[in-house]
Amino acid sequence: LSNGDGLREDVIEAIRKLNVPIIRWPGGCFVSAYHWENGIGPHRESVFDKSWRVEEPNTFGTDGYIKLCRALGCDPYICTNAGTGTAEEMSNWVEYCNLDHEGRYAKMRISNGNRQPFGVKYWSIGNENWGSWEIGAKTREEWGHLVRESAKMIKRVDPSVELSPAALPDVDWNLNLLRNCGDYLDWISIHQYWDAIHETNNASKFEQVMALTSDLDANITKVRGLLEALGMQDQIRIAFDEWNLREWYHPKAVTVEQGLTKDEYLTPRDDNDINSLYTMADAVFSASVLNMLHRNCQIVGMTCFSPMVNTRGCIFVHPQGIVLRPTYFVFDLYANHLGDVVLDDWSSNASTIEVSDATGHRVSIPALDILATTWTDHRRVSVAVASHDKDHSHALELDIDGIEGTHDVTIFTLNGSSEEAYNDINHTQVVVTKHDLGAYRPGMPIQIEPHSVNIIEIV
């Protein structure tokens, strides 16, 4: 199923449909002990990956990654090793990718069959280096110094690149970082996973997941406020460059107590790929996150769902083909049916529902999460609606200012037979349906199905 570059054609085709603008690699905890020179050239040796305690064969490296990005028509976004790596190693990687021919590393790229520079614009310094689980974790003082020196060397190789350092919604960490390095930075990176199940894989059910939507933008609000307080909001934007509903299941791997046998720490990871875990709960939650990110688009300029393929990804790969999980279709709808301009919206008499969170507490949330968009030419409007209610449908009345003439209304609905519906090999329960609703008229009623993700197009 692979092409001459070793890339799965079915996976490439599925990702192309999403119009993915950028792919972050090889980031995650893995990168904090990754030495990029091991993954280039004709002679590569396997190494032991101390993050996840597995053998890394290095068969896929920088050149293969660039081929992948080119096959998809997306920008590369390289995450560097700021754990066991050095400022020099990071800047050498930039030399390899971006210099025309000067120096050892550009010549190394040329000798590997790539005469033209890769022109990688986006670079991340580190991954969660504030976390105790990370290989080569840093204190905030160590981090400010390393980021400054790394940024200095990287910018001297290529002043046109844009840099994003690992950060989190912590005032002390970010103050030290921004005061030391703010002049060098274009982005600040934050990550978030909401369903904390890395030791149990006990996935939250629909109601518990919906309770998590009550305060989705809390971390973005904190970081935005700090940037504004420092007067940096026009210079530095947020890269929300690793997010998903559910934490990855890696038992006894990122804790002080390590598993002794592979059946303790390695074999259980296969349970990340139980497709029945990924239901309409994941789809509706992801739609709500995307709505939140769109509403914060003045400060959030980049987001990366993690991962794309396998484990918690939206695409599952097996030897005979692929499975498109419910979340895949959320990205399909949003990428192909939403506009490029976010509109102000207002809901009158918006319904709320009560759901139980993971601790059993009752939480009040909106029944519908609504995002309105248009296109630059303002000739049409597209409205995204995620239903948080697993039991009941809700009526939505559309009344959109500025629409003149005759416009047709179409609704695309992602749903399954229940909130627990999922897709698997030879098992497709979650699909997108399309319904024509006729001509637009102010106040027209639209029924929103329970546990669904919808795009309403007014064209």
Side-chain angles (χ1 to χ4, degrees):
L1 298 175
S2 299
N3 61 22
D5 292 323
L7 303 174
R8 285 275 297 254
E9 290 282 8
D10 50 355
V11 178
I12 295 296
E13 181 183 359
I15 297 174
R16 279 181 183 147
K17 290 180 180 178
L18 304 183
N19 297 314
V20 173
I22 197 164
I23 291 181
R24 175 176 176 261
W25 173 88
C29 299
F30 167 80
V31 79
S32 289
Y34 176 68
H35 298 289
W36 66 271
E37 287 188 61
N38 292 332
I40 62 171
H43 306 294
R44 307 185 192 182
E45 294 183 358
S46 298
V47 299
F48 183 70
D49 168 20
K50 295 183 178 67
S51 288
W52 301 121
R53 298 175 66 191
V54 294
E55 184 174 72
E56 165 55 46
N58 285 310
T59 50
F60 187 85
T62 304
D63 302 85
Y65 164 65
I66 296 298
K67 287 180 179 179
L68 172 64
C69 291
R70 288 175 175 171
L72 296 172
C74 72
D75 279 323
Y77 175 31
I78 291 181
C79 184
T80 60
N81 176 359
T84 64
T86 65
E88 185 174 29
E89 183 181 24
M90 295 181 218
S91 63
N92 290 345
W93 204 351
V94 180
E95 285 189 37
Y96 182 84
C97 291
N98 289 7
L99 288 187
D100 180 73
H101 67 278
E102 304 92 336
R104 172 188 176 190
Y105 295 101
K107 289 178 172 61
M108 194 180 294
R109 183 198 69 242
I110 293 170
S111 70
N112 289 334
N114 298 285
R115 173 60 192 87
Q116 297 303 315
F118 296 147
V120 178
K121 180 178 180 180
Y122 302 101
W123 294 81
S124 174
I125 299 174
N127 172 83
E128 298 180 5
N129 298 83
W130 39 265
S132 61
W133 57 86
E134 200 81 5
I135 299 293
K138 303 289 189 290
T139 66
R140 59 177 179 265
E141 291 79 14
E142 291 171 331
W143 187 239
H145 177 75
L146 177 61
V147 170
R148 184 181 65 249
E149 295 308 307
S150 302
K152 184 192 304 181
M153 294 187 72
I154 289 171
K155 291 276 190 176
R156 289 185 182 183
V157 173
D158 185 349
S160 71
V161 303
E162 296 190 9
L163 297 179
S164 178
L168 74 165
D170 178 83
V171 172
D172 291 335
W173 180 276
N174 290 341
L175 273 177
N176 185 74
L177 174 66
L178 294 169
R179 284 172 173 167
N180 273 281
C181 321
D183 291 344
Y184 289 101
L185 304 179
D186 307 276
W187 304 86
I188 186 168
S189 165
I190 56 175
H191 298 171
Q192 192 163 5
Y193 297 83
W194 284 263
D195 197 16
I197 55 174
H198 62 272
E199 290 296 318
T200 66
N201 210 32
N202 185 20
S204 295
K205 298 300 184 181
F206 189 90
E207 272 207 17
Q208 297 171 324
V209 170
M210 293 306 103
L212 295 170
T213 66
S214 64
D215 198 17
L216 283 179
D217 62 354
N219 288 344
I220 288 174
T221 300
K222 291 176 185 176
V223 176
R224 179 179 192 159
L226 182 59
L227 289 171
E228 290 176 347
L230 294 173
M232 294 182 173
Q233 72 275 12
D234 295 328
Q235 171 199 341
I236 298 174
R237 301 180 78 190
I238 293 173
F240 202 67
D241 57 10
E242 191 179 315
W243 71 270
N244 202 326
L245 165 60
R246 310 187 193 278
E247 288 183 338
W248 303 36
Y249 180 44
H250 285 135
K252 294 188 176 181
V254 294
T255 52
V256 174
E257 178 190 358
Q258 294 283 302
L260 296 178
T261 68
K262 290 185 178 180
D263 284 341
E264 288 182 286
Y265 71 87
L266 184 59
T267 307
R269 296 178 200 172
D270 290 341
D271 291 347
N272 281 288
D273 279 316
I274 298 173
N275 284 311
S276 60
L277 291 174
Y278 308 102
T279 67
M280 282 306 302
D282 298 73
V284 174
F285 183 86
S286 296
S288 291
V289 173
L290 291 175
N291 287 355
M292 176 273 291
L293 293 169
H294 277 79
R295 284 191 284 265
N296 285 277
C297 63
Q298 287 183 323
I299 196 68
V300 179
M302 176 198 305
T303 77
C304 300
F305 181 79
S306 177
M308 184 179 293
V309 177
N310 287 345
T311 63
R312 305 300 197 199
C314 58
I315 300 171
F316 170 71
V317 176
H318 58 97
Q320 285 74 47
I322 61 176
V323 172
L324 302 179
R325 290 172 173 162
T327 308
Y328 173 89
F329 297 100
V330 176
F331 288 105
D332 186 5
L333 288 172
Y334 276 61
N336 294 301
H337 296 283
L338 284 189
D340 60 334
V341 178
V342 176
L343 295 172
D344 290 332
D345 60 78
W346 178 72
S347 299
S348 174
N349 300 319
S351 299
T352 60
I353 59 174
E354 281 200 352
V355 293
S356 294
D357 66 15
T359 66
H361 288 100
R362 301 294 286 174
V363 179
S364 179
I365 59 172
L368 303 178
D369 186 336
I370 303 170
L371 173 77
T373 70
T374 187
W375 279 255
T376 303
D377 58 19
H378 296 283
R379 293 181 179 175
R380 50 186 173 146
V381 172
S382 190
V383 181
V385 186
S387 172
H388 296 157
D389 194 329
K390 73 180 180 68
D391 296 318
H392 303 100
S393 62
H394 289 264
L396 177 70
E397 294 184 3
L398 285 182
D399 195 354
I400 300 171
D401 291 340
I403 286 190
E404 299 177 356
T406 302
H407 296 267
D408 294 324
V409 181
T410 304
I411 186 169
F412 299 85
T413 298
L414 172 67
N415 212 346
S417 56
S418 77
E419 76 278 9
E420 297 298 325
Y422 66 95
N423 293 339
D424 204 344
I425 302 171
N426 301 319
H427 177 95
T428 302
Q429 290 183 318
V430 178
V431 296
V432 175
T433 57
K434 176 184 177 182
H435 297 284
D436 295 324
L437 303 180
Y440 168 78
R441 61 190 186 280
M444 71 181 300
I446 297 176
Q447 283 295 121
I448 302 300
E449 297 177 4
H451 53 74
S452 65
V453 177
N454 306 268
I455 301 290
I456 303 165
E457 284 190 342
I458 302 98
V459 181

